Amino acid sequence: MASTMHATGTGSSSGKLQSLPSSRQQQKKASNETVRSREAEIHLKVKEARTSQLLMLSNTKFLHCAEPFESVPHSLKHLYLSNCHFVDEFPEVVFKLTLLETLDISRNYMDELPATVFENLRKLVTLDCSFNNLISISPSCCQLKDLTELNLANNKIIYLPQEVGELSKLQVLILSNNLLRDIPGAVFAGPVSQSLLHLAVDHNLLLTLPPEIGNLAALEELNIRNNCFKYLPVNAMSLKKLTAFHHSGNDWLICPPNIDGVPGKMQSSYGTAALEKLFTYIHPP
């Protein structure tokens, strides 16, 4: 009886040991199938891009940085690489796509944007670099003469080069959620002053804006929420085309207080008249 029990127990242990490698093999097989499926999907998208000129590879983790860009057509105009887990290494093949008009490299882990982006991709119209770890942007950005939208939100930018002001077609500049303490006046003194329609610098560390803010003749929307503002320069009264002014979350010097019509600290103002009223109660120190 004991002999039978011993044999049975041995057989049970042996079966468990044999099942372990079998389980690992199944996991490896499933993983390989997932990789092959992903590669097939990527290559299909690349093939379709040859006619559509659009390639969407967002939310894809590449095993090799150059994969699968070697086969991407040079005629590609729109490329989306959001949340692809790029850190220090960026696929240099992308820099050869000189006809690109849209490049989305948001939600990665990059702390530097190669100057090659600006030197080679000169036909870019939209550039989205939001949700990365960028500290600054290269002065070479001024070479993007066709750029109309630049999104640098949710980075760690502490300095904005004055060359941004040379972007003569830029209409939308988003700098929300960074670490900016000031903006060089030269940014608003360049050609961008005639084209910029939307400026967002909310959730930074700004104390005020440079007097050159008044040069933004075409500006329609200004968002300066959640900074350290106490006042704005009088030159901002020149923003005659402003239709939306978001100013909550600042410590405005409102004087005199408690008068009907004085805008509260947690409000937005709409239209030029609202901005002018705001200035009636905000004065420089």
Side-chain angles (χ1 to χ4, degrees):
M1 183 69 174
S3 176
T4 304
M5 291 178 64
H6 176 74
T8 304
T10 303
S12 176
S13 300
S14 177
K16 289 181 180 179
L17 290 174
Q18 290 177 357
S19 67
L20 289 176
S22 176
S23 176
R24 290 178 185 146
Q25 288 173 358
Q26 289 177 353
Q27 291 177 357
K28 184 176 180 180
K29 181 179 179 181
S31 176
N32 290 339
E33 289 178 351
T34 301
V35 170
R36 284 195 295 269
S37 176
R38 179 184 61 82
E39 290 177 345
E41 182 181 357
I42 290 174
H43 288 301
L44 178 60
K45 289 182 177 181
V46 171
K47 183 178 179 180
E48 292 174 345
R50 293 170 185 166
T51 54
S52 68
Q53 297 182 337
L54 181 150
L55 181 57
M56 300 191 69
L57 294 176
S58 297
N59 304 307
T60 302
K61 186 175 182 179
F62 299 104
L63 297 179
H64 305 287
C65 197
E67 174 206 1
F69 301 102
E70 294 291 351
S71 56
V72 170
H74 290 297
S75 60
L76 194 71
K77 290 188 177 181
H78 309 283
L79 178 59
Y80 295 86
L81 296 173
S82 177
N83 193 32
C84 289
H85 303 270
F86 295 128
V87 185
D88 298 323
E89 188 179 13
F90 191 79
E92 295 186 3
V93 181
V94 171
F95 304 143
K96 298 179 182 179
L97 304 176
T98 56
L99 297 180
L100 273 184
E101 296 178 4
T102 303
L103 178 60
D104 181 356
I105 50 177
S106 63
R107 299 183 182 277
N108 285 288
Y109 304 95
M110 296 182 296
D111 56 14
E112 182 179 7
L113 195 60
T116 325
V117 170
F118 310 113
E119 294 167 359
N120 291 7
L121 308 183
R122 300 192 182 189
K123 291 189 177 295
L124 279 179
V125 175
T126 301
L127 178 58
D128 188 348
C129 305
S130 61
F131 291 92
N132 277 285
N133 295 317
L134 301 177
I135 297 176
S136 64
I137 183 172
S138 170
S140 301
C141 66
C142 64
Q143 299 185 53
L144 301 182
K145 299 299 184 182
D146 291 329
L147 197 68
T148 63
E149 181 173 345
L150 177 58
N151 189 348
L152 297 170
N154 295 87
N155 279 283
K156 299 176 182 178
I157 295 175
I158 59 176
Y159 173 72
L160 193 68
Q162 65 181 43
E163 284 79 4
V164 172
E166 299 299 318
L167 300 173
S168 59
K169 293 185 179 180
L170 192 66
Q171 297 180 5
V172 178
L173 178 58
I174 304 176
L175 296 163
S176 309
N177 289 284
N178 278 288
L179 300 173
L180 290 169
R181 291 184 177 275
D182 59 69
I183 298 177
V187 171
F188 301 139
V192 75
S193 62
Q194 302 304 307
S195 62
L196 199 63
L197 301 177
H198 175 99
L199 174 62
V201 292
D202 54 293
H203 295 85
N204 276 278
L205 303 170
L206 296 169
L207 294 172
T208 188
L209 291 173
E212 289 82 355
I213 186 69
N215 295 343
L216 303 183
L219 196 67
E220 297 177 357
E221 183 168 8
L222 175 60
N223 187 349
I224 58 173
R225 285 189 179 118
N226 295 94
N227 277 280
C228 305
F229 286 101
K230 292 183 180 296
Y231 70 95
L232 288 176
V234 177
N235 309 59
M237 294 291 290
S238 300
L239 303 176
K240 301 299 183 182
K241 292 189 177 181
L242 202 70
T243 57
F245 177 48
H246 310 289
H247 51 78
S248 64
N250 288 289
D251 192 19
W252 297 112
L253 295 174
I254 300 177
C255 180
N258 304 318
I259 293 180
D260 291 340
V262 176
K265 294 184 179 182
M266 298 302 294
Q267 295 181 3
S268 292
S269 299
Y270 297 92
T272 306
L275 180 63
E276 290 175 349
K277 179 178 287 189
L278 184 65
F279 258 76
T280 303
Y281 306 101
I282 298 176
H283 57 175

